[in-house]
Amino acid sequence: IGLATLSKYQGATVGLGFALAILCLPEGRRRLAHPAPYAAALLALLVISPVMVWNAQHQWISFTFQAGRGVAHRFNPAGLIAALLGEAGLLTPWVAVPLVWAAVKAMRAREPRGGFLLISAAPTIVLFNLLPLAGAKVLPHWPMPGWLLLFPVLGAALAHAVRVERRTWPVRWAQAS
């Protein structure tokens, strides 16, 4: 998370998602008894500390700039639609459609590993889709780290559909893609 945040500030939303997943899921809360989550958080903060120090010395200029890009102006449903279409375009429809299908399937299944990834992805995906709904200018690649967290959910859902449910559509979908 520290290295990701050095690259793009969206790394912090992924870290927030991990923290939420740990707090929301019973298995995650059990892990809070171990020092590893605290050591990981401390390490991430240590890695991004030069950015924090530099920003503190320069009136938080990079945070101000980035926050200014996402300033909300007015309720704008078209902004949300444009954001979702932009994300689907980057993911390509042949990945975006099964990815949403797998996320919905994982939500219904309440499987712990899928749940961890869904909760971890949520802050990034939700934040960067709510901002355009509020009229903010958001680029389509901003929520992509959240969607990336759902790729293992997609892989598991497709494997289950083919191997357990004996479905043939994932194979046909892949061939058509």
Side-chain angles (χ1 to χ4, degrees):
I1 296 302
L3 293 174
T5 305
L6 285 179
S7 173
K8 296 289 268 178
Y9 289 152
Q10 286 99 317
T13 63
V14 174
L16 173 64
F18 288 158
L20 280 173
I22 289 170
L23 292 172
C24 290
L25 298 171
E27 175 64 24
R29 288 191 300 273
R30 282 191 289 278
R31 293 186 186 270
L32 290 175
H34 193 274
Y38 307 102
L42 187 61
L43 180 60
L45 289 172
L46 185 64
V47 169
I48 65 166
S49 64
V51 172
M52 301 303 286
V53 169
W54 184 89
N55 271 283
Q57 293 171 343
H58 294 90
Q59 293 76 44
W60 304 99
I61 190 70
S62 73
F63 294 126
T64 304
F65 171 75
Q66 294 299 340
R69 295 172 74 182
V71 172
H73 301 11
R74 67 195 169 344
F75 181 70
N76 182 13
L80 173 61
I81 293 167
L84 291 172
L85 288 174
E87 292 163 44
L90 290 177
L91 288 168
T92 66
W94 46 90
V95 174
V97 171
L99 193 59
V100 171
W101 164 79
V104 169
K105 188 173 179 173
M107 280 187 258
R108 290 181 179 156
R110 298 182 182 259
E111 192 271 325
R113 291 175 293 183
F116 180 84
L117 291 169
L118 287 167
I119 295 169
S120 297
T124 306
I125 295 171
V126 170
L127 173 67
F128 293 115
N129 282 298
L130 285 180
L131 285 172
L133 183 62
K137 172 90 169 108
V138 173
L139 297 176
H141 70 278
W142 291 0
M144 287 300 127
W147 288 112
L148 182 63
L149 289 173
L150 297 180
F151 275 60
V153 173
L154 173 60
L158 290 173
H160 186 268
V162 171
R163 292 186 182 143
V164 177
E165 299 172 2
R166 302 282 185 212
R167 307 270 182 181
T168 57
W169 72 262
V171 174
R172 288 194 312 269
W173 186 277
Q175 290 169 339
S177 298

